[in-house]
Amino acid sequence: MSALPDGPEDRLRRLTTIWSRAVYPVTSTSLTRVEFEDLLRPLADRLSELLRARSFDAEGARAVGAALVTAHCTDPEALSRSLDCVDAYLVLYCGGDGPQDELRMRSSRLQHAMAAGYAHALRARTLAEQESVAQAALRAQGVVAQALHASEARFRAVFEGAAIGIGIADLDGNILQVNEALTRMFGLTEQALRGRRVLDWTHPEDAPQTWRLYEELVSGDREHYHVEKAFNRPDGTALWTNLTVSLLRDPDGVPQYQLAMVEDTTERRLLNLRLRYEATHDALTGLPNRTLFFERLEKALAAGEGQRFGLCYLDLDGFKTINDSLGHAAGDRLLVEVADRLQSCATAPGEMVARLGGDEFVALTTGPGTQREVDELAERIMHALTGPISIDGRDLMVRGSLGIVEGPAGERTAAEVLRSADITMYRAKSAGGNRAETADAESDARAITRHALTTALPAALERGEFFIEYQPLVHLGDGSVRGAEALVRWLHPQHGVLGPDRFIPLAEDTGLIVPLGRWVLEESIRQARVWGERYGADDTPLRINVNLSPCQLGHPQLVQDTVEILERTGVAPDALCLEVTESALIGADDDLLKPLRRLAEMGVDIALDDFGTGYSNLANLRRLPVNVLKLDRSFTQGMQQFPADPVDLKIVEGIVSLAHSLDLAVTVEGVETGAQAEQLRILGCDTAQGWYYARPGPPENLHRLALVDTTG
Ligand code: C2E
Ligand code: MG
Ligand code: MG
């Protein structure tokens, strides 16, 4: 992406320039482009204010739409281009660092209101235009007595030259005269039109009052009426119009003719339908989006007595890994396939599926029987996810965590329901994923929302609420402790100890991972020095493994910070091992690998963590500056039963021999039994980590273990 302009003023000016460049060419105005841009400036200003307002109200954008009409931007293309521009640049230039999801939703609702204001103003303007034509016609009639010919000529000029369609019929509905614009709209010759009767023009979509108003007019009880009306064209398409009909009386006031003025709104109507569709549907999957889902949910919650709702909130498990390792295009295709499958789960009336964003989907069911229906819906969804999805010739397994909320209408707001669904979904995820959980009020009350944790993170770091547990790494050959992995925890003042799975993703999203990661690094290296001073004088020093997030990897200070900490503490680089996940390195270009390479050259070990969970290419390993492979827990789990699955054994054996031939050491994670440890030793793994040896714990535990091993 190109760099953003500096200040908010600059950004706003930039937005205005882009907007005026897009719209000026389709606007019939006598202004210069610079003057036109000045005209748009306050509109952009207003949109920016609305976007960032503390309490959001999209209605203000109607005035912006109306102002476009006043500025003569009445070509439908002008609206469509304006909306495209707002869609692409408003959040980017005016959103600041607010939450992207919320900003995007606001932007789409602003566009919707803008389009509505635009359509409304355009209609009002056309009606005013029609009114003045009618006045001219009536004036012409009024002067008939004095200057019949002159006024007749003037009337004909208005009649023929008008851009809107005009027709005159008698009070029985026989059409007497039509202008050229009207023949063009209907796609009929003047002759053919003149043979018609007004009463033949009923249409299935006529509003109920249409023909009552007509009767009142021809019987002289009404002077005019406006309706929106459709007509059938000879080619079978519908002509949509704003129709104004006025009664013409003779000089004595006796009703004589009816005068119809017809504005073709077909295009605008299609545009409106399209805009409405785009504002309420997700471009990737075609599913209803968050905006439409909220509308439906709010409607369901406002339904009367006896009505209920059921909601399934789905978040895919491990979607980020797929995106990171196979690329966004593959991720997108996966989402489209998931969307199709979900859609087929909710086809009954009152059911809908929507995409909330990212890999989050919702399914809604409404009516009196949702208590039973929602469980069936959840089952259908979980079942629909089971079959593999084939992308680029690979069969991917998708799993999801589902939160179910069900209840009567009229008790909670949409936001409360969604919060409960989110909490419940998260509960399913924490329990290992690939399952559905049902909401209950008690866990809702206890639950900590991700939002609350995110906002508490920065202060937590300042207040020193984080601490580190160490889990020993044991040599499989002789059982000696070789080092430990540092695993960070958060001692939250209200919620107790939280594991990294709860907050590392949040810290990554907000960038706090950089200072947090630096703290972990410094703290663990300091600990390694303490161990070095107390024990490892003669034999190999205890080494420390520290996890690095992908964001830290891309941070320009990484190498400098690490070197500085090592020097300050006096710990040798080869006592440090940095763990990076496989998915962070797959597809990494040389620039991203450069800092790791520099660290490796200095003697720091680099381990590829959770190996085997991504979709990596083994041949790729040669490119990476890595000297340790950490096999993911899932491999070890396969060895729990006895005898172990022979295929699992073969896979691990293969990986180990490949790793060794590339000069990589192999560490295994999640060793829980002695049998596993023995098996892995036979397969040639070098070091191991797991509950069999020790759970992660305070640094003193390691002192004890290391002492036992080295002395005993
Ligand atoms: P990891 O690096 O793969 O860490 C190993 C995880 O496996 C740890 O979970 C550990 O407690 C758990 N584990 C160890 N032995 C066993 C066993 O025998 N059985 C089972 N079932 N589990 C075992 P933990 O502490 O919850 O950490 C989760 C992940 O959070 C880590 O996975 C690591 O990716 C990340 N993490 C932890 N500390 C940091 C940190 O300081 N920075 C960053 N960026 N990530 C961290
Ligand atoms: Mg690790
Ligand atoms: Mg791991």
Side-chain angles (χ1 to χ4, degrees), residues 579 609-610 632 669:
E579 299 192 1
D609 203 355
D610 301 340
D632 186 62
E669 296 184 87

Side-chain angles (χ1 to χ4, degrees), residues 258-372:
Q258 46 175 323
L259 171 76
M261 265 157 298
V262 187
E263 181 212 359
D264 183 349
T265 58
T266 315
E267 282 286 317
R268 205 189 313 152
R269 196 181 147 86
L270 288 177
L271 177 71
N272 268 331
L273 289 176
R274 201 196 84 204
L275 286 173
R276 161 85 189 151
Y277 184 87
E278 281 176 2
T280 53
H281 287 77
D282 168 44
L284 176 67
T285 62
L287 286 183
N289 65 9
R290 177 183 279 269
T291 308
L292 184 55
F293 170 72
F294 259 88
E295 277 176 24
R296 291 286 173 80
L297 179 61
E298 274 163 4
K299 208 165 129 203
L301 293 172
E305 186 122 345
Q307 295 296 308
R308 305 181 68 86
F309 73 93
L311 189 129
C312 297
Y313 188 118
L314 174 75
D315 186 290
L316 300 183
D317 298 336
F319 178 68
K320 194 170 169 334
T321 310
I322 294 179
N323 239 354
D324 289 347
S325 50
L326 295 185
H328 287 268
D332 281 358
R333 265 182 289 156
L334 184 100
L335 289 174
V336 170
E337 171 66 24
V338 169
D340 286 350
R341 293 186 182 187
L342 293 180
Q343 183 119 61
S344 65
C345 295
T347 50
E351 292 183 340
M352 89 178 290
V353 169
R355 177 175 177 218
L356 293 188
D359 60 344
E360 292 175 23
F361 297 87
V362 276
L364 179 69
T365 165
T366 55
T370 55
Q371 266 157 314
R372 183 178 41 82

